[in-house]
């Protein structure tokens, strides 16, 4: 960085590669919460660097990604697959479909972590093999080998989904486009643990949020469309509290399974369940009609109506 104004060089680089660097950091961190702090530290670290740092790097861009990687590893040394899987990803409306979303999920989670990072840097962040080798500390020959094997794996996977002529660069680029803003993920101000899912949001690669129904003390309820069954709507409930520990997740799913095992006409059954931003969600059938609460508040219930409604539940 021998220019008379090094900060100008850094600013130009960060303007050009800001989105890619932020996405790369989010993928390494497993979330966007720490991104503002880390990105500020990245800018500061690059600003404090000098020509000696750049002399060892193939390019200023590779130096920026290497610095970002170092900062991310200091914050999140080992990123669990569960944390990576729970990231919110940008949608690609022009290509989005349940099958395409499933393919992207398979690419993200099916590749081993080192190969996934190398393919991300090559195709999604547009680094050369030499630059990637510098960023991750691997020889160019190792990088080339990983790119070749990873590319072949993605090709075969895409073909198994029915793609005749897969575009690996496009697939990998779409696979590693996480949301880089906590606001985009839908946090409700003043209620850090509750999520607000906007209409059009996709949950579980299958359910598209249509409208918000209510927010309770434990879950938020939404009316959602089932993209696997066009025209079919469900009730989607999302727990407020995030859960990342494997044992805690197993406990929640076990409770859900126990309730689902009850054979009673008044107990609704689960159609599907999964994890969204570390929160358990589950889908149940949507029954058209009016909520009992609204009926009671509007005119109350006669004794006969109360028996007709609550009698079957008490059996």
């Amino acid at each position: 960085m021998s220019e008379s104004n090094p900060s100008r060089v850094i600013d130009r680089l960060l303007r050009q590669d800001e989105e890619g660097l932020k996405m790369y950091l989010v993928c390494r961190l497993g979330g966007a919460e720490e991104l503002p702090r880390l990105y500020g530290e990245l800018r500061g670290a690059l600003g404090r660097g000098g020509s000696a740092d750049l002399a060892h790097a193939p390019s200023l861009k590779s130096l920026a990604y290497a610095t970002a990687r170092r900062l991310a590893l200091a914050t999140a040394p080992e990123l669990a697959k569960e944390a990576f899987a729970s990231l919110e990803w940008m949608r690609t409306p022009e290509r989005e479909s349940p099958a395409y979303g499933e393919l992207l999920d398979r690419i993200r989670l099916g590749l081993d972590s080192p190969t996934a990072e190398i393919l991300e840097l090559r195709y999604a962040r547009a680094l050369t093999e030499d630059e990637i080798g510098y960023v991750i500390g691997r020889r160019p020959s190792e990088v080339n080998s990983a790119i070749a094997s990873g590319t072949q794996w993605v090709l075969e996977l895409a073909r198994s989904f029915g793609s005749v002529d897969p575009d690996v660069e496009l697939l990998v680029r779409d696979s590693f486009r996480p949301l880089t803003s906590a606001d985009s993920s839908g946090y409700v101000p003043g209620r850090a643990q509750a999520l607000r899912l906007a209409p059009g949001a996709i949950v579980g690669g299958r359910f598209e949020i249509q409208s918000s129904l209510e927010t309770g003390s434990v879950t938020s309820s939404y009316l959602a469309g089932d993209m696997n069954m066009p025209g079919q709507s469900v009730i989607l409930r999302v727990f407020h509290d995030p859960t990342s520990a494997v044992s805690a997740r197993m406990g929640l799913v076990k409770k859900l399974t126990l309730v689902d095992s009850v054979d009673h006409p008044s107990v609704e059954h689960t159609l599907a369940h999964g994890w969204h931003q570390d929160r358990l969600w589950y889908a149940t059938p949507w029954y058209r009609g009016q909520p009992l609460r609204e009926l009671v508040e509007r005119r109350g219930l006669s004794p006969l109506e109360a028996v007709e409604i609550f009698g079957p539940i008490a059996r």
Side-chain angles (χ1 to χ4, degrees), residues 23-42:
M23 288 183 179
Y24 181 70
L25 280 169
V26 170
C27 286
R28 308 281 78 72
L29 295 169
E33 291 78 10
E34 292 291 323
L35 181 59
R37 177 181 66 82
L38 263 292
Y39 198 73
E41 290 185 13
L42 172 62

Side-chain angles (χ1 to χ4, degrees), residues 21-22 24-25 28-29 38-39 42 45-46 62-74 135:
L21 282 164
K22 286 184 174 180
Y24 181 70
L25 280 169
R28 308 281 78 72
L29 295 169
L38 263 292
Y39 198 73
L42 172 62
L46 292 174
S62 64
L63 178 61
Y65 275 90
T67 306
R69 189 175 195 267
R70 174 175 56 80
L71 292 171
L73 287 175
V135 171

Side-chain angles (χ1 to χ4, degrees), residues 14 18 22 81 106 116 165 193-194 200 243 260 269 290 294 301-302 310-311:
L14 294 179
E18 179 178 4
K22 286 184 174 180
K81 276 284 188 182
R106 290 280 298 277
D165 187 20
Q193 292 184 331
T243 305
D260 207 35
H269 289 271
Q290 62 177 323
E294 292 182 5
L301 293 176
S302 68
F310 294 105

Side-chain angles (χ1 to χ4, degrees), residues 128-307:
T128 67
E129 288 83 354
D130 287 343
E131 290 174 329
I132 295 170
Y134 175 80
V135 171
I136 65 175
R138 301 270 293 274
R139 292 192 298 270
S141 59
E142 295 176 313
V143 172
N144 287 331
S145 177
I147 291 174
S149 61
T151 298
Q152 185 61 36
W153 185 87
V154 173
L155 279 172
E156 293 175 359
L157 178 65
R159 286 170 181 152
S160 73
F161 273 71
S163 179
V164 178
D165 187 20
D167 184 337
V168 173
E169 181 175 350
L170 177 65
L171 287 170
V172 174
R173 190 166 64 242
D174 283 350
S175 295
F176 297 98
R177 298 177 67 228
L179 293 175
T180 57
S181 169
D183 291 336
S184 299
S185 63
Y187 284 101
V188 177
R191 188 172 184 174
Q193 292 184 331
L195 283 175
R196 182 178 63 239
L197 299 177
I202 304 298
V203 176
R206 173 180 172 182
F207 300 104
E208 182 173 4
I209 299 299
Q210 296 174 343
S211 63
S212 175
L213 297 178
E214 65 175 357
T215 299
S217 59
V218 178
T219 66
S220 295
S221 300
Y222 300 88
L223 183 65
D226 187 343
M227 295 190 295
N228 287 355
M229 301 179 66
Q232 185 75 30
S233 294
V234 301
I235 300 297
L236 193 75
R237 293 180 174 86
V238 183
F239 280 73
H240 298 324
D241 293 335
T243 305
S244 57
V246 175
S247 59
R249 287 190 170 205
M250 291 176 64
L252 283 174
V253 173
K254 183 178 180 180
K255 291 178 182 178
L256 194 62
T257 304
L258 286 174
V259 173
D260 207 35
S261 67
V262 176
D263 185 14
H264 192 282
S266 296
V267 176
E268 60 184 7
H269 289 271
T270 303
L271 301 174
H273 71 272
W275 298 92
H276 184 79
Q277 295 186 27
D278 282 342
R279 291 157 172 84
L280 176 65
W281 62 264
Y282 64 97
T284 59
W286 176 47
Y287 301 103
R288 296 178 183 273
Q290 62 177 323
L292 179 61
R293 179 191 302 169
E294 292 182 5
L295 177 63
V296 172
E297 290 177 349
R298 188 173 69 252
R299 64 173 180 80
L301 293 176
S302 68
L304 180 58
E305 287 175 323
V307 171

